Amino acid sequence: MDEREALILNKQLHLDLEIVQIKDVRFAEKTHVADHVLYIDKQEMLEFIHDPFFLDLDIALARPGESVRIIPVKDVVEPRIKMSEKGGSFPGFFGAVEECGEGTTKVLRGCAVVTTGTVVAFQEGFIDMRGVASEYTQFSKLNNVVVNAKAPEDSAPVRREEAMRILGLKAAHYLALATKETPADYCESYELTEVDPARKLPRVAIVTLTMCQGLLHDNYLYGQDVKHLNTTLLHPNEYMDGAMVNGTCVVASDKYTTWDYQNNPMIKELYDRHGKELEFCGCIMTPTYVVLADKRRCTAAAVRIATMLHLDGVLVPEEGGGNPEADLMMVIRGCEAKGIRTVGLMTPLGGVEGIGDTAEEADAMIATGYEGVDFVVEAMDTVIGDIEQIAVLTGGFPDSLRPDGSMYINILAITGAHNQMGRHNLCSKVL
């Protein structure tokens, strides 16, 4: 059988992630990986990511266990790159859309690019690399390459956000490109293999509610602002291969970073169960607008796609909070009316009484946290960014910062603490 015949017989997208495990990051004269250490030529990286829009750019390192605070955090990105000749990283930004979701992608696992600096701070957060706050976020476990950018004070917020988003992607692209030929430690393969219908495994998909509300609350699919798109069926490999990029400024504790899209735990869990306990049928990307007519249009389309796929069940994780709860309940009502069982994931930030919308059909809900947790986080020896921003972060207060450098905060200010994909360290306790 030649290669063409093999491709015809197997029409499924097959994605191989070649994993290079990174256990430390250090500055050096050349960017490369040796003995699981990512060495970075700081000057070369600064030249690669240079953007004349910024008044100043700097790169710092933050390792697990170090006394370091990163504040405010804009985005977290895992360095990845296609192993083809085109070698793109984020299709629509730095890569060809035709390659996304299949072929081979090199991944620098265990490290990330974190962007900070002059951002629209009220709905960004912070990451502590050790101490009490570090226990609430997965990002404290990564070797972080922090890009600190200073934007002109008189620049428009939307211009800052665009520049910061591109800056993080470009920095991740640089690291992956410079280490592209590093031998992989192991490989992860993803393919939605055919399932024998006679087995009658339950057919399941994820309805990925995706923020697109304007005013900087937007995500990007293949480089396009999601608020210009309709509900779309996507292969899970597309998410894992960089098709979706974060651009939102929602509450830090439950925002989806680009890293979260690249490492969606729900996708990985359904892949693990595919062909064993269920048949994973894909992801229904559903924009969450602010206008009711748009909400109805997009959620109705999600229900139609779920029906056309003959689904038995869907997972519906919310992104953000407040009015997206209407989209969540619309999907649940619509799917349940079609006999499609639903499980919703959300963070009831105001408690049960504070949920913006409810439905009788929403009888299988998973709460990913609660906002009613205030505490003091200790001072750190090093602060990357601007610690004064805690005064205006959601989860911070005007008097949060104390003279000794410690902070009195609400859990909402910790990036990733309430991840609604289910990736966090919180659990329920029966009193």
Side-chain angles (χ1 to χ4, degrees), residues 253-289:
S253 67
D254 61 15
K255 77 180 292 182
Y256 294 161
T257 67
T258 299
W259 190 95
D260 290 310
Y261 284 122
Q262 295 170 302
N263 295 277
N264 187 320
M266 300 178 73
I267 288 177
K268 290 189 175 183
E269 180 75 13
L270 291 183
Y271 253 124
D272 287 343
R273 296 170 183 261
H274 177 71
K276 303 170 186 174
E277 305 170 42
L278 53 83
E279 183 175 358
F280 186 16
C281 299
C283 301
I284 305 172
M285 192 286 293
T286 308
T288 55
Y289 290 83

Side-chain angles (χ1 to χ4, degrees), residues 373-393:
V373 182
D374 300 331
F375 51 91
V376 174
V377 295
E378 59 269 57
M380 295 288 136
D381 294 338
T382 300
V383 174
I384 305 174
D386 180 7
I387 197 170
E388 300 286 344
Q389 293 295 314
I390 189 60
V392 293
L393 296 181

Side-chain angles (χ1 to χ4, degrees), residues 75-380:
D75 198 9
V76 183
V77 187
E78 185 170 68
R80 297 186 176 194
I81 192 167
K82 301 300 293 185
M83 292 301 289
S84 65
E85 292 183 4
K86 296 179 181 179
S89 296
F90 301 93
F93 290 99
F94 303 106
V97 298
E98 297 87 353
E99 297 182 322
C100 187
E102 58 184 334
T104 304
T105 299
K106 183 66 62 70
V107 179
L108 299 186
R109 179 70 49 80
C111 72
V113 168
V114 178
T115 44
T116 186
T118 315
V119 301
V120 181
F122 65 94
Q123 286 188 325
E124 305 298 350
F126 74 94
I127 298 170
D128 279 357
M129 299 305 293
R130 78 176 187 191
V132 61
S134 71
E135 298 302 318
Y136 289 90
T137 175
Q138 69 270 21
F139 302 126
S140 64
K141 313 304 186 293
L142 302 176
N143 293 282
N144 292 314
V145 181
V146 186
V147 179
N148 191 355
K150 182 178 181 181
E153 292 185 4
D154 60 350
S155 58
V158 67
R159 178 69 181 94
R160 294 187 198 184
E161 295 304 291
E162 178 186 24
M164 287 292 292
R165 180 173 57 255
I166 297 297
L167 187 66
L169 300 180
K170 198 170 185 179
H173 179 65
Y174 165 80
L175 293 174
L177 179 64
T179 59
K180 183 178 178 181
E181 302 308 320
T182 304
D185 294 302
Y186 61 96
C187 181
E188 296 176 353
S189 296
Y190 297 94
E191 179 181 337
L192 290 179
T193 54
E194 297 288 343
V195 175
D196 184 357
R199 298 181 62 191
K200 296 184 178 180
L201 294 179
R203 294 171 59 83
V204 177
I206 306 172
V207 176
T208 53
L209 297 178
T210 306
M211 188 75 74
C212 63
Q213 302 191 344
L215 299 176
L216 312 178
H217 288 61
D218 297 300
N219 287 288
Y220 293 80
L221 179 65
Y222 290 109
Q224 296 297 308
D225 190 331
V226 171
K227 70 171 174 284
H228 301 307
L229 304 177
N230 291 311
T231 300
T232 305
L233 177 63
L234 295 175
H235 194 288
N237 289 2
E238 294 178 85
Y239 280 96
M240 303 175 75
D241 215 13
M244 186 70 74
V245 166
N246 164 265
T248 62
C249 297
V250 298
V251 172
S253 67
D254 61 15
K255 77 180 292 182
Y256 294 161
T257 67
T258 299
W259 190 95
D260 290 310
Y261 284 122
Q262 295 170 302
N263 295 277
N264 187 320
M266 300 178 73
I267 288 177
K268 290 189 175 183
E269 180 75 13
L270 291 183
Y271 253 124
D272 287 343
R273 296 170 183 261
H274 177 71
K276 303 170 186 174
E277 305 170 42
L278 53 83
E279 183 175 358
F280 186 16
C281 299
C283 301
I284 305 172
M285 192 286 293
T286 308
T288 55
Y289 290 83
V290 292
V291 177
L292 181 58
D294 290 325
K295 290 178 179 292
R296 287 172 172 163
R297 170 172 56 84
C298 291
T299 57
V303 174
R304 282 194 296 272
I305 293 173
T307 304
M308 290 172 63
L309 292 175
H310 303 288
L311 297 181
D312 297 296
V314 293
L315 301 176
V316 196
E318 183 182 15
E319 182 184 13
N323 83 72
E325 285 152 18
D327 306 76
L328 175 66
M329 296 304 164
M330 286 178 179
V331 171
I332 290 175
R333 290 190 197 98
C335 284
E336 291 281 350
K338 297 290 186 181
I340 302 170
R341 298 307 308 273
T342 58
V343 175
L345 290 86
M346 66 180 301
T347 304
L349 295 181
V352 175
E353 297 80 7
I355 297 175
D357 192 12
T358 59
E360 291 183 2
E361 297 86 348
D363 57 1
M365 300 293 294
I366 298 173
T368 59
Y370 174 56
E371 69 174 344
V373 182
D374 300 331
F375 51 91
V376 174
V377 295
E378 59 269 57
M380 295 288 136

